[in-house]
Amino acid sequence: QVTLVESGGGSVQAGGSLRLSCVASGWMSSRNCMGWFRQAPGKEREGVAFIDTATTKTDYADSMKAQISISQDNLKSTVHLQMNSLKPEDTGTYYCAEEHRKCYGISFKPDEFTSWGQGTQVTVSS
C-alpha cells in the first residue's frame, strides 16, 4: 500500500505561483505513474499533470500545460507541481495520485489510479 501526502497549497492572488509536493511512502514498484488531479467546487476531478517515474516522461492537461511543470526528486518518491500565472479558475483541491505501472496507455482518468492523497487546497483570488 502506498501513502501519499500533499503539501504546498494555499491562497494566492491571480498571477501568482505555488509549488505543490507529494511524498509517497510504503511499497513502490520500480516504475510508477504519479501525478496530480484537481477538483473545483461542483465539478468532476480532472487530470492535470503526470510523470512516469522510470522514464521521467511527462503529460499535461491542455488547459494548464503552459503554466505548470511536474518533476520528481532523485529518489522518485516525491513529485512536485510548479504552477505559475495562476488564475481564479485554477481554484480547487489538488490531489496526488499514483499507480503501479507506466504512464503509457493510461487515460489519466481518476478511476485509473489506485492510491490517492488527502488533497491540498489551492485558492486563487482575483
Side-chain angles (χ1 to χ4, degrees), residues 4 24 32-33 39-40 54 60 62 74 82 85 90 92 101 103 121:
L4 304 174
N32 307 280
C33 187
Q39 188 165 20
Y60 297 101
D62 288 340
N74 289 336
Q82 178 67 42
S85 303
D90 295 321
R101 55 161 290 176
C103 287
Q121 179 67 33

Side-chain angles (χ1 to χ4, degrees), residues 40-61:
K43 295 189 176 181
E44 293 185 352
R45 195 170 297 189
E46 61 176 349
V48 174
F50 299 88
I51 187 166
D52 186 306
T53 62
T55 66
T56 70
K57 182 182 183 300
T58 57
D59 290 274
Y60 297 101

Side-chain angles (χ1 to χ4, degrees), residues 5-10 18 20-22 35-40 45-49 64 67-68 81 83 86-97 116-124:
V5 179
E6 304 102 332
S7 62
L18 283 173
L20 308 184
S21 296
C22 172
W36 295 88
F37 288 79
R38 71 176 180 181
Q39 188 165 20
R45 195 170 297 189
E46 61 176 349
V48 174
M64 292 194 75
Q67 60 184 119
I68 60 174
L81 182 67
M83 302 189 293
L86 286 164
K87 298 168 283 188
E89 51 263 44
D90 295 321
T91 293
T93 303
Y94 285 68
Y95 297 91
C96 181
W116 292 86
Q118 292 299 308
T120 186
Q121 179 67 33
V122 171
T123 302
V124 185

